[in-house]
Amino acid sequence: MKRQEGVLNLEVQGLLQKWSRHVKRYQRRFFRCQRDCISYFHYKGHPPAKGAEAPWMLDLNDVVRLDKLPQTLSFEMYSAKDERLLMCKASTFGEYKIWTDVLESKINYLRERGEAAEEEMVTHFETNTFTMLALMSPDVVYELAQTT
């Protein structure tokens, strides 16, 4: 897991078209994917200043599925509730490939890291419970065993 830590350091940015639910068409936006989030800016041309606030940001920890649609150069991200969080379209196959590869790597890494953290927490809880039981008197442990 340690060697994959570099996956979060992958950064990609550029112009993509995002589907707008309000106007029911694609809109061109400047996207930036850093660490474990993807954000876009209403900016045409050069990238915005480093400290500029993004009007929209998505935490990649919330993404459970990335659907890739190479025939239309599109990709969609979905939440655990199967709700579409974002739908984007690239201009070229090269852009599409870079974005989908980076996003897929980050989403898979974050999912694996989350599962490993859950396993570690359960193991830690079980170890601490065993230690607590070992410190109790035998009568208390017997009573606990009878109630469960």
Side-chain angles (χ1 to χ4, degrees):
M1 195 71 97
K2 195 78 161 173
R3 66 181 176 79
Q4 287 186 341
E5 194 68 38
V7 169
L8 285 182
N9 293 329
L10 292 174
E11 185 176 320
V12 63
Q13 61 185 13
L15 292 171
L16 291 173
Q17 297 177 52
K18 104 176 179 53
W19 180 255
S20 171
R21 294 178 190 160
H22 303 292
V23 294
K24 305 289 189 230
R25 65 182 173 90
Y26 283 99
Q27 297 176 323
R28 199 167 176 87
R29 297 288 181 252
F30 180 82
F31 280 84
R32 177 180 285 158
C33 182
Q34 295 174 303
R35 299 290 302 160
D36 59 352
C37 69
I38 183 170
S39 54
Y40 75 77
F41 299 82
H42 297 270
Y43 192 83
K44 295 177 173 103
H46 298 293
K50 273 275 188 215
E53 190 67 31
W56 181 87
M57 190 176 296
L58 172 65
D59 185 353
L60 292 177
N61 288 297
D62 298 335
V63 177
V64 295
R65 191 175 94 227
L66 175 71
D67 286 352
K68 300 190 287 187
L69 309 162
Q71 63 276 15
T72 58
L73 303 179
S74 304
F75 57 91
E76 301 174 350
M77 289 187 244
Y78 289 88
S79 70
K81 297 176 185 173
D82 208 33
E83 173 187 17
R84 186 171 65 202
L85 301 171
L86 179 66
M87 180 176 175
C88 288
K89 188 180 208 180
S91 300
T92 66
F93 184 76
E95 284 179 354
Y96 164 81
K97 186 79 172 122
I98 289 169
W99 276 97
T100 55
D101 286 352
V102 168
L103 288 169
E104 190 171 48
S105 298
K106 287 183 180 232
I107 292 166
N108 289 338
Y109 172 75
L110 291 168
R111 185 180 310 127
E112 289 170 11
R113 187 174 75 172
E115 290 170 358
E118 279 182 28
E119 286 177 23
E120 186 177 314
M121 193 164 54
V122 167
T123 304
H124 181 72
F125 176 75
E126 289 172 350
T127 304
N128 284 347
T129 304
F130 180 74
T131 305
M132 286 173 44
L133 289 174
L135 294 174
M136 292 180 184
S137 71
D139 296 334
V140 174
V141 172
Y142 180 75
E143 285 177 30
L144 284 173
Q146 295 300 318
T147 58
T148 57

PDB file of all heavy atoms in Angstrom, residues 117-144:
ATOM      1  N   ALA A 117      -8.452   0.484   6.167  1.00  0.00           N
ATOM      2  CA  ALA A 117      -8.655   1.217   7.423  1.00  0.00           C
ATOM      3  C   ALA A 117      -9.781   0.587   8.236  1.00  0.00           C
ATOM      4  O   ALA A 117      -9.691   0.482   9.456  1.00  0.00           O
ATOM      5  CB  ALA A 117      -8.966   2.678   7.130  1.00  0.00           C
ATOM      6  N   GLU A 118     -10.859   0.143   7.558  1.00  0.00           N
ATOM      7  CA  GLU A 118     -11.963  -0.522   8.256  1.00  0.00           C
ATOM      8  C   GLU A 118     -11.490  -1.819   8.900  1.00  0.00           C
ATOM      9  O   GLU A 118     -11.815  -2.114  10.043  1.00  0.00           O
ATOM     10  CB  GLU A 118     -13.104  -0.819   7.292  1.00  0.00           C
ATOM     11  CG  GLU A 118     -13.993   0.352   7.021  1.00  0.00           C
ATOM     12  CD  GLU A 118     -15.142  -0.015   6.104  1.00  0.00           C
ATOM     13  OE1 GLU A 118     -15.572  -1.185   6.100  1.00  0.00           O
ATOM     14  OE2 GLU A 118     -15.597   0.882   5.385  1.00  0.00           O
ATOM     15  N   GLU A 119     -10.708  -2.627   8.153  1.00  0.00           N
ATOM     16  CA  GLU A 119     -10.188  -3.881   8.690  1.00  0.00           C
ATOM     17  C   GLU A 119      -9.298  -3.624   9.898  1.00  0.00           C
ATOM     18  O   GLU A 119      -9.369  -4.331  10.897  1.00  0.00           O
ATOM     19  CB  GLU A 119      -9.397  -4.635   7.621  1.00  0.00           C
ATOM     20  CG  GLU A 119     -10.249  -5.271   6.564  1.00  0.00           C
ATOM     21  CD  GLU A 119      -9.427  -5.936   5.481  1.00  0.00           C
ATOM     22  OE1 GLU A 119      -8.255  -6.284   5.728  1.00  0.00           O
ATOM     23  OE2 GLU A 119      -9.960  -6.107   4.370  1.00  0.00           O
ATOM     24  N   GLU A 120      -8.458  -2.593   9.793  1.00  0.00           N
ATOM     25  CA  GLU A 120      -7.551  -2.259  10.890  1.00  0.00           C
ATOM     26  C   GLU A 120      -8.342  -1.842  12.132  1.00  0.00           C
ATOM     27  O   GLU A 120      -8.015  -2.219  13.247  1.00  0.00           O
ATOM     28  CB  GLU A 120      -6.625  -1.127  10.461  1.00  0.00           C
ATOM     29  CG  GLU A 120      -5.557  -0.802  11.472  1.00  0.00           C
ATOM     30  CD  GLU A 120      -4.627   0.285  10.963  1.00  0.00           C
ATOM     31  OE1 GLU A 120      -4.191   0.198   9.807  1.00  0.00           O
ATOM     32  OE2 GLU A 120      -4.362   1.212  11.746  1.00  0.00           O
ATOM     33  N   MET A 121      -9.428  -1.078  11.927  1.00  0.00           N
ATOM     34  CA  MET A 121     -10.239  -0.628  13.048  1.00  0.00           C
ATOM     35  C   MET A 121     -10.922  -1.812  13.725  1.00  0.00           C
ATOM     36  O   MET A 121     -10.960  -1.899  14.943  1.00  0.00           O
ATOM     37  CB  MET A 121     -11.291   0.373  12.551  1.00  0.00           C
ATOM     38  CG  MET A 121     -11.963   1.134  13.661  1.00  0.00           C
ATOM     39  SD  MET A 121     -12.842   2.602  13.106  1.00  0.00           S
ATOM     40  CE  MET A 121     -13.914   1.976  11.850  1.00  0.00           C
ATOM     41  N   VAL A 122     -11.442  -2.759  12.943  1.00  0.00           N
ATOM     42  CA  VAL A 122     -12.088  -3.939  13.513  1.00  0.00           C
ATOM     43  C   VAL A 122     -11.074  -4.768  14.285  1.00  0.00           C
ATOM     44  O   VAL A 122     -11.337  -5.206  15.408  1.00  0.00           O
ATOM     45  CB  VAL A 122     -12.756  -4.787  12.401  1.00  0.00           C
ATOM     46  CG1 VAL A 122     -13.159  -6.149  12.910  1.00  0.00           C
ATOM     47  CG2 VAL A 122     -13.948  -4.038  11.829  1.00  0.00           C
ATOM     48  N   THR A 123      -9.876  -4.976  13.717  1.00  0.00           N
ATOM     49  CA  THR A 123      -8.827  -5.738  14.397  1.00  0.00           C
ATOM     50  C   THR A 123      -8.429  -5.054  15.694  1.00  0.00           C
ATOM     51  O   THR A 123      -8.272  -5.702  16.727  1.00  0.00           O
ATOM     52  CB  THR A 123      -7.592  -5.880  13.479  1.00  0.00           C
ATOM     53  OG1 THR A 123      -8.016  -6.484  12.260  1.00  0.00           O
ATOM     54  CG2 THR A 123      -6.520  -6.717  14.134  1.00  0.00           C
ATOM     55  N   HIS A 124      -8.293  -3.733  15.657  1.00  0.00           N
ATOM     56  CA  HIS A 124      -7.926  -2.961  16.844  1.00  0.00           C
ATOM     57  C   HIS A 124      -9.001  -3.111  17.916  1.00  0.00           C
ATOM     58  O   HIS A 124      -8.703  -3.321  19.083  1.00  0.00           O
ATOM     59  CB  HIS A 124      -7.745  -1.485  16.464  1.00  0.00           C
ATOM     60  CG  HIS A 124      -7.349  -0.616  17.602  1.00  0.00           C
ATOM     61  ND1 HIS A 124      -6.091  -0.664  18.162  1.00  0.00           N
ATOM     62  CD2 HIS A 124      -8.040   0.326  18.296  1.00  0.00           C
ATOM     63  CE1 HIS A 124      -6.029   0.206  19.150  1.00  0.00           C
ATOM     64  NE2 HIS A 124      -7.199   0.830  19.250  1.00  0.00           N
ATOM     65  N   PHE A 125     -10.279  -3.040  17.513  1.00  0.00           N
ATOM     66  CA  PHE A 125     -11.382  -3.194  18.459  1.00  0.00           C
ATOM     67  C   PHE A 125     -11.370  -4.585  19.086  1.00  0.00           C
ATOM     68  O   PHE A 125     -11.510  -4.735  20.286  1.00  0.00           O
ATOM     69  CB  PHE A 125     -12.720  -2.943  17.760  1.00  0.00           C
ATOM     70  CG  PHE A 125     -13.909  -3.185  18.634  1.00  0.00           C
ATOM     71  CD1 PHE A 125     -14.259  -2.271  19.612  1.00  0.00           C
ATOM     72  CD2 PHE A 125     -14.668  -4.340  18.500  1.00  0.00           C
ATOM     73  CE1 PHE A 125     -15.349  -2.495  20.437  1.00  0.00           C
ATOM     74  CE2 PHE A 125     -15.757  -4.574  19.317  1.00  0.00           C
ATOM     75  CZ  PHE A 125     -16.101  -3.653  20.284  1.00  0.00           C
ATOM     76  N   GLU A 126     -11.194  -5.626  18.251  1.00  0.00           N
ATOM     77  CA  GLU A 126     -11.180  -6.998  18.766  1.00  0.00           C
ATOM     78  C   GLU A 126     -10.011  -7.206  19.721  1.00  0.00           C
ATOM     79  O   GLU A 126     -10.162  -7.848  20.758  1.00  0.00           O
ATOM     80  CB  GLU A 126     -11.102  -7.994  17.607  1.00  0.00           C
ATOM     81  CG  GLU A 126     -12.392  -8.070  16.816  1.00  0.00           C
ATOM     82  CD  GLU A 126     -12.270  -8.910  15.562  1.00  0.00           C
ATOM     83  OE1 GLU A 126     -11.140  -9.291  15.190  1.00  0.00           O
ATOM     84  OE2 GLU A 126     -13.314  -9.172  14.936  1.00  0.00           O
ATOM     85  N   THR A 127      -8.839  -6.659  19.403  1.00  0.00           N
ATOM     86  CA  THR A 127      -7.667  -6.782  20.272  1.00  0.00           C
ATOM     87  C   THR A 127      -7.915  -6.092  21.598  1.00  0.00           C
ATOM     88  O   THR A 127      -7.617  -6.638  22.659  1.00  0.00           O
ATOM     89  CB  THR A 127      -6.424  -6.176  19.582  1.00  0.00           C
ATOM     90  OG1 THR A 127      -6.253  -6.822  18.328  1.00  0.00           O
ATOM     91  CG2 THR A 127      -5.179  -6.355  20.426  1.00  0.00           C
ATOM     92  N   ASN A 128      -8.469  -4.881  21.550  1.00  0.00           N
ATOM     93  CA  ASN A 128      -8.737  -4.152  22.783  1.00  0.00           C
ATOM     94  C   ASN A 128      -9.794  -4.847  23.625  1.00  0.00           C
ATOM     95  O   ASN A 128      -9.701  -4.879  24.850  1.00  0.00           O
ATOM     96  CB  ASN A 128      -9.173  -2.712  22.488  1.00  0.00           C
ATOM     97  CG  ASN A 128      -8.006  -1.847  22.090  1.00  0.00           C
ATOM     98  OD1 ASN A 128      -6.859  -2.240  22.250  1.00  0.00           O
ATOM     99  ND2 ASN A 128      -8.297  -0.674  21.566  1.00  0.00           N
ATOM    100  N   THR A 129     -10.813  -5.427  22.989  1.00  0.00           N
ATOM    101  CA  THR A 129     -11.847  -6.154  23.720  1.00  0.00           C
ATOM    102  C   THR A 129     -11.231  -7.363  24.416  1.00  0.00           C
ATOM    103  O   THR A 129     -11.514  -7.629  25.586  1.00  0.00           O
ATOM    104  CB  THR A 129     -12.963  -6.612  22.763  1.00  0.00           C
ATOM    105  OG1 THR A 129     -13.460  -5.472  22.083  1.00  0.00           O
ATOM    106  CG2 THR A 129     -14.075  -7.308  23.503  1.00  0.00           C
ATOM    107  N   PHE A 130     -10.365  -8.087  23.698  1.00  0.00           N
ATOM    108  CA  PHE A 130      -9.705  -9.248  24.292  1.00  0.00           C
ATOM    109  C   PHE A 130      -8.845  -8.832  25.479  1.00  0.00           C
ATOM    110  O   PHE A 130      -8.856  -9.474  26.523  1.00  0.00           O
ATOM    111  CB  PHE A 130      -8.849  -9.957  23.237  1.00  0.00           C
ATOM    112  CG  PHE A 130      -8.140 -11.167  23.764  1.00  0.00           C
ATOM    113  CD1 PHE A 130      -8.831 -12.342  24.024  1.00  0.00           C
ATOM    114  CD2 PHE A 130      -6.778 -11.134  24.040  1.00  0.00           C
ATOM    115  CE1 PHE A 130      -8.191 -13.460  24.518  1.00  0.00           C
ATOM    116  CE2 PHE A 130      -6.128 -12.235  24.532  1.00  0.00           C
ATOM    117  CZ  PHE A 130      -6.842 -13.405  24.776  1.00  0.00           C
ATOM    118  N   THR A 131      -8.116  -7.719  25.334  1.00  0.00           N
ATOM    119  CA  THR A 131      -7.267  -7.223  26.421  1.00  0.00           C
ATOM    120  C   THR A 131      -8.113  -6.841  27.621  1.00  0.00           C
ATOM    121  O   THR A 131      -7.764  -7.144  28.763  1.00  0.00           O
ATOM    122  CB  THR A 131      -6.444  -5.995  25.948  1.00  0.00           C
ATOM    123  OG1 THR A 131      -5.712  -6.371  24.790  1.00  0.00           O
ATOM    124  CG2 THR A 131      -5.503  -5.512  27.018  1.00  0.00           C
ATOM    125  N   MET A 132      -9.258  -6.178  27.378  1.00  0.00           N
ATOM    126  CA  MET A 132     -10.135  -5.793  28.481  1.00  0.00           C
ATOM    127  C   MET A 132     -10.672  -7.023  29.189  1.00  0.00           C
ATOM    128  O   MET A 132     -10.733  -7.067  30.419  1.00  0.00           O
ATOM    129  CB  MET A 132     -11.301  -4.941  27.968  1.00  0.00           C
ATOM    130  CG  MET A 132     -10.901  -3.531  27.598  1.00  0.00           C
ATOM    131  SD  MET A 132     -12.215  -2.581  26.800  1.00  0.00           S
ATOM    132  CE  MET A 132     -13.646  -2.946  27.755  1.00  0.00           C
ATOM    133  N   LEU A 133     -11.046  -8.034  28.437  1.00  0.00           N
ATOM    134  CA  LEU A 133     -11.559  -9.265  29.042  1.00  0.00           C
ATOM    135  C   LEU A 133     -10.487  -9.960  29.873  1.00  0.00           C
ATOM    136  O   LEU A 133     -10.766 -10.520  30.932  1.00  0.00           O
ATOM    137  CB  LEU A 133     -12.095 -10.212  27.973  1.00  0.00           C
ATOM    138  CG  LEU A 133     -13.392  -9.791  27.295  1.00  0.00           C
ATOM    139  CD1 LEU A 133     -13.727 -10.746  26.168  1.00  0.00           C
ATOM    140  CD2 LEU A 133     -14.528  -9.719  28.289  1.00  0.00           C
ATOM    141  N   ALA A 134      -9.237  -9.905  29.392  1.00  0.00           N
ATOM    142  CA  ALA A 134      -8.147 -10.541  30.113  1.00  0.00           C
ATOM    143  C   ALA A 134      -7.876  -9.841  31.437  1.00  0.00           C
ATOM    144  O   ALA A 134      -7.446 -10.481  32.412  1.00  0.00           O
ATOM    145  CB  ALA A 134      -6.878 -10.549  29.263  1.00  0.00           C
ATOM    146  N   LEU A 135      -8.132  -8.549  31.529  1.00  0.00           N
ATOM    147  CA  LEU A 135      -7.885  -7.788  32.745  1.00  0.00           C
ATOM    148  C   LEU A 135      -9.007  -7.937  33.772  1.00  0.00           C
ATOM    149  O   LEU A 135      -8.823  -7.660  34.951  1.00  0.00           O
ATOM    150  CB  LEU A 135      -7.687  -6.302  32.417  1.00  0.00           C
ATOM    151  CG  LEU A 135      -6.443  -5.964  31.599  1.00  0.00           C
ATOM    152  CD1 LEU A 135      -6.444  -4.495  31.226  1.00  0.00           C
ATOM    153  CD2 LEU A 135      -5.181  -6.308  32.380  1.00  0.00           C
ATOM    154  N   MET A 136     -10.189  -8.377  33.319  1.00  0.00           N
ATOM    155  CA  MET A 136     -11.327  -8.529  34.224  1.00  0.00           C
ATOM    156  C   MET A 136     -11.189  -9.815  35.033  1.00  0.00           C
ATOM    157  O   MET A 136     -10.503 -10.748  34.644  1.00  0.00           O
ATOM    158  CB  MET A 136     -12.637  -8.576  33.441  1.00  0.00           C
ATOM    159  CG  MET A 136     -13.002  -7.295  32.783  1.00  0.00           C
ATOM    160  SD  MET A 136     -14.566  -7.532  31.922  1.00  0.00           S
ATOM    161  CE  MET A 136     -14.721  -5.970  31.134  1.00  0.00           C
ATOM    162  N   SER A 137     -11.906  -9.839  36.136  1.00  0.00           N
ATOM    163  CA  SER A 137     -11.899 -11.060  36.947  1.00  0.00           C
ATOM    164  C   SER A 137     -12.667 -12.154  36.213  1.00  0.00           C
ATOM    165  O   SER A 137     -13.546 -11.862  35.402  1.00  0.00           O
ATOM    166  CB  SER A 137     -12.531 -10.789  38.314  1.00  0.00           C
ATOM    167  OG  SER A 137     -13.921 -10.612  38.164  1.00  0.00           O
ATOM    168  N   PRO A 138     -12.369 -13.409  36.469  1.00  0.00           N
ATOM    169  CA  PRO A 138     -13.049 -14.513  35.776  1.00  0.00           C
ATOM    170  C   PRO A 138     -14.563 -14.501  35.951  1.00  0.00           C
ATOM    171  O   PRO A 138     -15.301 -14.896  35.063  1.00  0.00           O
ATOM    172  CB  PRO A 138     -12.436 -15.770  36.410  1.00  0.00           C
ATOM    173  CG  PRO A 138     -11.147 -15.316  36.993  1.00  0.00           C
ATOM    174  CD  PRO A 138     -11.309 -13.880  37.340  1.00  0.00           C
ATOM    175  N   ASP A 139     -15.061 -14.032  37.101  1.00  0.00           N
ATOM    176  CA  ASP A 139     -16.506 -14.000  37.343  1.00  0.00           C
ATOM    177  C   ASP A 139     -17.201 -13.024  36.382  1.00  0.00           C
ATOM    178  O   ASP A 139     -18.276 -13.335  35.855  1.00  0.00           O
ATOM    179  CB  ASP A 139     -16.804 -13.575  38.799  1.00  0.00           C
ATOM    180  CG  ASP A 139     -16.259 -14.605  39.786  1.00  0.00           C
ATOM    181  OD1 ASP A 139     -16.127 -15.790  39.402  1.00  0.00           O
ATOM    182  OD2 ASP A 139     -15.961 -14.205  40.922  1.00  0.00           O
ATOM    183  N   VAL A 140     -16.594 -11.851  36.167  1.00  0.00           N
ATOM    184  CA  VAL A 140     -17.180 -10.846  35.283  1.00  0.00           C
ATOM    185  C   VAL A 140     -17.187 -11.359  33.848  1.00  0.00           C
ATOM    186  O   VAL A 140     -18.167 -11.208  33.111  1.00  0.00           O
ATOM    187  CB  VAL A 140     -16.400  -9.504  35.390  1.00  0.00           C
ATOM    188  CG1 VAL A 140     -16.917  -8.509  34.367  1.00  0.00           C
ATOM    189  CG2 VAL A 140     -16.505  -8.945  36.801  1.00  0.00           C
ATOM    190  N   VAL A 141     -16.090 -12.002  33.430  1.00  0.00           N
ATOM    191  CA  VAL A 141     -16.001 -12.545  32.068  1.00  0.00           C
ATOM    192  C   VAL A 141     -17.076 -13.607  31.878  1.00  0.00           C
ATOM    193  O   VAL A 141     -17.752 -13.652  30.854  1.00  0.00           O
ATOM    194  CB  VAL A 141     -14.595 -13.128  31.796  1.00  0.00           C
ATOM    195  CG1 VAL A 141     -14.566 -13.857  30.472  1.00  0.00           C
ATOM    196  CG2 VAL A 141     -13.560 -12.020  31.842  1.00  0.00           C
ATOM    197  N   TYR A 142     -17.289 -14.469  32.892  1.00  0.00           N
ATOM    198  CA  TYR A 142     -18.320 -15.509  32.815  1.00  0.00           C
ATOM    199  C   TYR A 142     -19.703 -14.880  32.673  1.00  0.00           C
ATOM    200  O   TYR A 142     -20.504 -15.317  31.857  1.00  0.00           O
ATOM    201  CB  TYR A 142     -18.251 -16.403  34.058  1.00  0.00           C
ATOM    202  CG  TYR A 142     -19.286 -17.498  34.045  1.00  0.00           C
ATOM    203  CD1 TYR A 142     -19.119 -18.613  33.225  1.00  0.00           C
ATOM    204  CD2 TYR A 142     -20.436 -17.391  34.841  1.00  0.00           C
ATOM    205  CE1 TYR A 142     -20.087 -19.601  33.196  1.00  0.00           C
ATOM    206  CE2 TYR A 142     -21.399 -18.386  34.806  1.00  0.00           C
ATOM    207  CZ  TYR A 142     -21.227 -19.486  33.988  1.00  0.00           C
ATOM    208  OH  TYR A 142     -22.174 -20.465  33.934  1.00  0.00           O
ATOM    209  N   GLU A 143     -19.987 -13.812  33.427  1.00  0.00           N
ATOM    210  CA  GLU A 143     -21.283 -13.133  33.357  1.00  0.00           C
ATOM    211  C   GLU A 143     -21.483 -12.503  31.961  1.00  0.00           C
ATOM    212  O   GLU A 143     -22.570 -12.584  31.408  1.00  0.00           O
ATOM    213  CB  GLU A 143     -21.388 -12.049  34.421  1.00  0.00           C
ATOM    214  CG  GLU A 143     -21.602 -12.614  35.814  1.00  0.00           C
ATOM    215  CD  GLU A 143     -21.634 -11.503  36.858  1.00  0.00           C
ATOM    216  OE1 GLU A 143     -22.063 -10.378  36.518  1.00  0.00           O
ATOM    217  OE2 GLU A 143     -21.235 -11.769  37.987  1.00  0.00           O
ATOM    218  N   LEU A 144     -20.430 -11.886  31.400  1.00  0.00           N
ATOM    219  CA  LEU A 144     -20.526 -11.305  30.061  1.00  0.00           C
ATOM    220  C   LEU A 144     -20.808 -12.372  29.033  1.00  0.00           C
ATOM    221  O   LEU A 144     -21.591 -12.175  28.110  1.00  0.00           O
ATOM    222  CB  LEU A 144     -19.225 -10.562  29.703  1.00  0.00           C
ATOM    223  CG  LEU A 144     -19.017  -9.198  30.361  1.00  0.00           C
ATOM    224  CD1 LEU A 144     -17.638  -8.668  30.048  1.00  0.00           C
ATOM    225  CD2 LEU A 144     -20.069  -8.201  29.883  1.00  0.00           C
TER     226      LEU A 144
END
